[in-house]
Amino acid sequence: MLPLPTDTLDIDMMAIALAMAERGIGRTAPNPSVGAVIVDPASGEVIARGWTQPGGRPHAETEAIARAGARARGATIYVTLEPCSHHGKTPPCAEAIIAAGLKRAVCAILDPDPRVSGRGMRMLRTAGLEVTRGVLAERAHRITRGHILRVTERRPLVQLKLALGSDGAVPRGEGGRPVWVTGAEARAHGHLLRARADAILVGSGTVGDDDPELTCRLPGMADRSPVRVVLAGRQLPSIDSKLVRSARQTPLWIFTSAGADPHAMSALVERGCRILPTTTMDGRPWLPAVCEALVAEGITRLLVEGGPTLWRSFAMAGLVDEVYCYRGLSSDLVAGVAGAERDIAALGPAHAFELAETRHVGADGLYVFHRK
């Protein structure tokens, strides 16, 4: 049995490692975003920090070790996810930790990937390192949940983004023009969610009503736009839509069903779109198959926007992990909780979610629900 954490220093240093992991969210797929910190155990000095780089490599541990140089010898490394122990496109991080002469490794959670799962920790112990696990495990699990679900359930982490008026209504766009029910601050926060997603998904109805771009348009973060995904079925997006016109700049994947117009599909492919045929149920793309296909393409975090029909479909399929409900406020933030809870109950079984966070975003309320 590995020793459990008791040291305040361990908690403080793992908190820094988790902050490093947060930096990479939305940029490291198909790999998890991991943070690592190397610390002098005698003085508590942070020698070096590292986090998974864009595209998933280099890994956090090797980044921190490279920055620490010779000072890594005899030090302690804090890492948010068990170091890998298998040879992939890069050598195992566990081997790099041993070669660097580190004497202790503190890990938040084990990696469920069967290629690793416990092997990395055993490799370190066998090499003579002191190993501690479980430090801030709950926080690490939440940051790493996309990777965990990819491995254990063959689906990405699914977040719903709801933007509702103070009465819970969702005004429908007309003629390719969306109707805003929240302020600029709430919309900017929604773009931050996009930056932290690997892919963003809408239905064909939203494409027709709003003609969205589905990009991250925060200043300096245009390169953080996720893959855009459309559940089209037979109703393919117009070649004149903003999504299709920008497909060569920001990837656009379109899930189609049998019966979709082959000539229209060819025209979309010619404009840089990717067509992904999928299994259907009652004429609509079957969401479990869509999620598994996305995972096969390396997607670990999926943001679902769109409208109520799509939200309910994901919720009723049991595929929703988090809900971000932006709600226009007619009174105060606390008074809006009851309305937000009604909104969530309308998605499906109300007992499936619990309120995790309530805050102002500009003049609007943000209510975050987590799956129980």
Side-chain angles (χ1 to χ4, degrees):
M1 186 70 169
L2 296 175
L4 294 176
T6 56
D7 193 348
T8 300
L9 178 64
D10 285 356
I11 294 173
D12 291 343
M13 294 301 107
M14 187 60 75
I16 296 174
L18 288 165
M20 297 298 100
E22 289 269 8
R23 291 188 176 189
I25 290 177
R27 306 193 76 187
T28 65
N31 289 346
S33 183
V34 177
V37 178
I38 295 176
V39 177
D40 183 328
S43 66
E45 176 194 356
V46 174
I47 297 171
R49 302 173 297 170
W51 55 95
T52 310
Q53 296 299 293
R57 295 181 180 81
H59 292 181
E61 299 93 323
T62 54
E63 281 286 293
I65 289 168
R67 290 170 180 160
R71 293 195 66 194
R73 187 161 298 277
T76 298
I77 186 167
Y78 294 84
V79 61
T80 59
L81 181 68
E82 178 182 11
C84 61
S85 55
H86 62 285
H87 283 268
K89 293 184 178 180
T90 56
C93 288
E95 286 186 1
I97 290 172
I98 295 166
L102 287 148
K103 292 302 181 186
R104 181 171 179 245
V106 182
C107 175
I109 57 175
L110 298 181
D111 191 336
D113 189 326
R115 297 173 300 174
V116 182
S117 195
R119 293 182 178 87
M121 306 299 273
R122 286 196 296 273
M123 185 181 293
L124 298 179
R125 288 201 312 275
T126 300
L129 277 78
E130 177 188 346
V131 177
T132 301
R133 65 170 174 83
V135 180
L136 299 183
E138 185 175 349
R139 286 177 56 186
H141 186 277
R142 188 157 297 281
I143 289 173
T144 317
R145 198 169 180 191
H147 167 70
I148 294 170
L149 289 170
R150 179 185 70 84
V151 173
T152 61
E153 298 187 24
R154 295 299 297 165
R155 69 173 181 86
L157 172 79
V158 176
Q159 299 172 313
L160 296 191
K161 191 190 91 171
L162 283 60
L164 310 172
S166 59
D167 58 355
V170 186
R172 185 170 180 173
E174 296 181 2
R177 295 178 180 272
V179 176
W180 304 117
V181 293
T182 56
E185 293 90 343
R187 295 199 295 275
H189 193 273
H191 280 256
L192 185 60
L193 289 183
R194 292 179 178 181
R196 291 166 60 85
D198 301 331
I200 178 173
L201 182 147
V202 297
S204 55
T206 294
V207 177
D209 290 345
D210 296 348
D211 193 19
E213 294 181 54
L214 302 182
T215 54
C216 176
R217 295 189 292 279
L218 295 176
M221 298 183 71
D223 64 335
R224 298 291 296 270
S225 294
V227 172
R228 286 93 51 84
V229 179
V230 177
L231 288 188
R234 297 181 182 181
Q235 188 178 342
L236 300 176
S238 165
I239 59 173
D240 296 320
S241 66
K242 292 176 183 176
L243 288 172
V244 174
R245 293 205 309 268
S246 60
R248 296 194 185 280
Q249 290 73 49
T250 305
L252 175 62
W253 299 351
I254 303 170
F255 279 93
T256 63
S257 60
D261 184 341
H263 299 293
M265 287 193 288
S266 295
L268 291 169
V269 170
E270 288 175 2
R271 287 160 174 79
C273 305
R274 186 174 180 191
I275 301 296
L276 298 170
T278 190
T279 305
T280 59
M281 185 71 69
D282 297 326
R284 297 179 178 179
W286 189 44
L287 296 182
V290 169
C291 286
E292 187 161 356
L294 290 173
V295 159
E297 296 295 334
I299 301 301
T300 66
R301 296 173 62 90
L302 176 66
L303 179 64
V304 177
E305 294 198 10
T309 300
L310 189 62
W311 302 337
R312 280 193 293 270
S313 296
F314 271 89
M316 294 304 292
L319 295 172
V320 178
D321 300 291
E322 299 174 359
V323 182
Y324 286 76
C325 179
Y326 300 90
R327 212 170 193 275
L329 293 179
S330 57
S331 53
D332 60 42
L333 189 66
V334 175
V337 169
E341 289 177 337
R342 287 194 300 272
D343 300 333
I344 300 306
L347 297 177
H351 63 271
F353 302 99
E354 59 185 353
L355 184 63
E357 181 184 352
T358 303
R359 58 184 283 198
H360 277 107
V361 182
D364 304 306
L366 170 60
Y367 303 90
V368 182
F369 293 82
H370 290 166
R371 186 176 186 173
K372 291 182 180 177

